[in-house]
Amino acid sequence: MKTLLAGKKILFGISGSIAAYKAAEWVRELAKAEAEVTVVMTDAATRFVSGLTFASLSGRRVYTGMFEKDAGEDMTHISLAKESDLVVIAPATAQTLAKLAHGFADDLLSTLVLASNCKVLLFPAMNSNMYCHVATQANIAKLLEYGYEVIEPGQGKLACGDEGIGRLIDWQIAREKILSILAVQDLEGQTIVISAGPTWESFDPARLLSNRSSGKMGYALARVARRRGARVILVSGPSAIEPPPEVEVINVMSGEEMHKGMMAQYKSADIVVMAAAVSDYRPGKTMKQKVKKSNKSIEFELVPNPDILKKLGDKKKKANRPLLVGFAAESTEHIAEGRRKLKEKNLDLIVINDIIGKNTGFGTDTNQVSLIDRDYQLDKLPLLSKEECAEMIWDKVVKLLQ
Ligand code: CTP
């Protein structure tokens, strides 16, 4: 599957901060995702990291000056600016922000920004006093007014030894920003509630009943929906995954808590996706003290948890909303079971997950799913990364919304 970044022309500006070395990873990741990255460095940036580093990572010529040899027939700045789908500047120093805020064009990078007519994404990195200085803040306000995107830097220990705001943000957050600018905003205006992960059903203070779900599929759905413009509320069972940026997260533990969380959230939702692996049963009684072992076998009662999706499907019969997407975790009779659940739970779409195949199902980074929509149309998808899988599921949801 072609990724959003494949073939995109990204003009990647680097200005003179020690954080310039971190831009090497960003350029490598963008190139790995098949973006065509052209790096432009300010003179100060070349003192921190060599242009050769970026030429090797991007596989393309690196530009540093306005009047370089071999610039071609076109004026370099005009041709590079005209071709780009996106301009990214990381790190953007206080000096670069000041220049751009005042429309300076005294080096190649600032000239290119002026000559471009695509979106410009600025990732500032500097000492916290410099960042918080009223002059820098006034420049940022001006840049926002001009329509530039300025991403607030991270907090933490800075290269100068100070602690505070000013760190170049992590690549994963930057990646989301870049992708959300390139993505079609076809989920804009939609409020989407997604459940994810397993549930933990306590037996005693030490033990619990759970399942193998990692939350990866639900989190990928949340990340991609946010990227495509939705407001996303993620109701998550216990998961080790970092929540996606700009997603509202409600942490729950048990099936009953997830039930409560979903019932509280679904009313504001246009779309609900139950990707969580809710435990069908919970211990009838949670022991207050740890149960001690003995040589005898023990028996304990399991009582059913509420079927959250079924309850939402029943509610939908009256209100005819929200659009409801369920998952089916299957090890046999996948399609027949998927169809049954689609009908019984009154869904618009069911995602049938093969949980015993190779590289698919619980805990893996890839997934093999089939989709059946409310008209019983079946789409069998190939083995995809969970993020690609999420893209395909949202493509289908967008069609159902029409
Ligand atoms: N689900 C739910 N509440 C439950 C159990 C499941 O909301 N107590 C949801 C899941 O999030 C999923 C769908 O129902 O979207 C189907 O879950 P699955 O485990 O595949 O099927 P079950 O309905 O639990 O039936 P079975 O376990 O017998 O296959």
Side-chain angles (χ1 to χ4, degrees):
M1 192 182 154
K2 216 170 143 227
T3 73
L4 261 183
L5 285 163
K8 288 285 179 320
K9 294 185 167 55
I10 298 180
L11 192 72
F12 197 111
I14 302 171
S15 53
S17 147
I18 179 61
Y21 82 90
K22 292 187 184 167
E25 188 204 347
W26 295 26
V27 169
R28 187 178 66 108
E29 290 294 336
L30 288 167
K32 212 164 82 185
E34 294 174 41
E36 295 176 17
V37 192
T38 303
V39 173
V40 178
M41 301 175 77
T42 64
D43 185 39
T46 61
R47 296 174 191 235
F48 287 97
V49 188
S50 142
L52 186 60
T53 303
F54 292 102
S56 314
L57 294 170
S58 66
R60 310 170 90 80
R61 175 180 170 180
V62 169
Y63 293 84
T64 49
M66 286 266 254
F67 306 103
E68 288 175 338
K69 278 193 254 159
D70 314 325
E73 291 191 352
D74 276 335
M75 301 261 300
T76 310
H77 57 277
I78 299 297
S79 57
L80 284 178
K82 267 204 302 212
E83 283 169 5
S84 308
D85 296 306
L86 177 68
V87 175
V88 171
I89 303 186
T93 57
Q95 168 75 357
T96 296
L97 297 179
K99 272 193 199 186
L100 298 182
H102 292 85
F104 275 41
D106 63 346
D107 63 7
L108 183 61
L109 184 56
S110 52
T111 308
L112 281 171
V113 173
L114 276 188
S116 70
N117 48 19
C118 59
K119 199 84 183 155
V120 179
L121 251 176
L122 303 170
F123 293 95
M126 65 197 75
N127 163 274
S128 6
N129 287 347
M130 290 172 81
Y131 181 73
C132 296
H133 194 284
V134 4
T136 305
Q137 288 304 310
N139 288 333
I140 290 175
K142 190 114 232 155
L143 290 164
L144 293 171
E145 198 185 296
Y146 290 161
Y148 294 81
E149 291 254 357
V150 186
I151 313 305
E152 186 167 277
Q155 298 268 354
K157 190 112 183 127
L158 305 173
C160 56
D162 286 0
E163 190 112 18
I165 192 163
R167 285 169 64 86
L168 184 67
I169 60 161
D170 290 342
W171 163 243
Q172 285 308 328
I173 302 173
R175 177 177 181 268
E176 274 318 306
K177 286 284 170 200
I178 292 169
L179 289 173
S180 60
I181 284 178
L182 297 172
V184 180
Q185 299 295 290
D186 51 4
L187 290 171
E188 197 168 4
Q190 305 288 341
T191 296
I192 304 182
V193 176
I194 301 171
S195 73
T199 61
W200 283 3
E201 313 297 335
S202 283
F203 170 68
D204 74 10
R207 295 137 178 145
L208 51 88
L209 194 68
S210 190
N211 56 62
R212 297 177 199 275
S213 167
S214 61
K216 282 182 183 171
M217 191 62 238
Y219 278 59
L221 281 162
R223 195 178 318 118
V224 173
R226 175 69 207 110
R227 192 185 290 165
R228 287 166 71 155
R231 174 187 171 216
V232 181
I233 301 165
L234 182 65
V235 180
S236 175
S239 169
I241 309 171
E242 186 75 24
E246 296 176 13
V247 163
E248 299 159 52
V249 184
I250 295 164
N251 289 305
V252 297
M253 196 82 95
S254 64
E256 282 181 303
E257 282 181 30
M258 183 162 281
H259 180 221
K260 234 191 259 168
M262 290 304 288
M263 289 303 151
Q265 296 304 323
Y266 94 93
K267 291 191 188 99
S268 66
D270 301 295
I271 303 166
V272 170
V273 183
M274 275 298 297
V278 185
S279 179
D280 288 329
Y281 297 93
R282 65 178 187 274
K285 212 165 121 195
T286 304
M287 308 297 175
K288 288 215 163 50
Q289 309 297 335
K290 187 179 168 203
V291 175
K292 290 289 175 183
K293 71 166 178 268
S294 76
N295 290 330
K296 295 194 193 113
S297 56
I298 57 165
E299 278 184 11
F300 62 93
E301 188 193 18
L302 291 176
V303 297
N305 258 336
D307 187 328
I308 306 166
L309 190 57
K310 170 94 176 61
K311 282 179 185 278
L312 291 172
D314 288 342
K315 286 180 185 296
K316 208 190 83 182
K317 281 181 190 152
K318 281 196 205 125
N320 206 25
R321 61 174 293 281
L323 190 140
L324 219 48
V325 181
F327 271 69
E330 305 300 345
S331 56
T332 177
E333 303 289 340
H334 300 64
I335 303 299
E337 277 300 283
R339 270 171 170 266
R340 179 178 68 79
K341 290 175 189 175
L342 175 84
K343 189 157 182 272
E344 281 180 11
K345 304 197 187 198
N346 190 26
L347 309 179
D348 295 283
L349 180 67
I350 193 147
V351 182
I352 306 165
N353 218 159
D354 175 9
I355 59 163
I356 54 169
K358 209 173 164 223
N359 301 324
T360 175
F362 295 134
T364 56
D365 289 326
T366 49
N367 220 0
Q368 175 112 49
V369 304
S370 298
L371 310 182
I372 305 181
D373 69 16
R374 57 191 172 216
D375 299 322
Y376 293 102
Q377 194 191 314
L378 169 69
D379 290 304
K380 287 190 176 185
L381 306 186
L383 185 71
L384 297 168
S385 73
K386 285 193 170 163
E387 204 169 291
E388 289 167 337
C389 206
E391 292 279 7
M392 304 288 275
I393 292 168
W394 290 126
D395 285 350
K396 186 76 196 183
V397 168
V398 167
K399 280 199 193 127
L400 291 173
L401 282 173
Q402 292 156 1

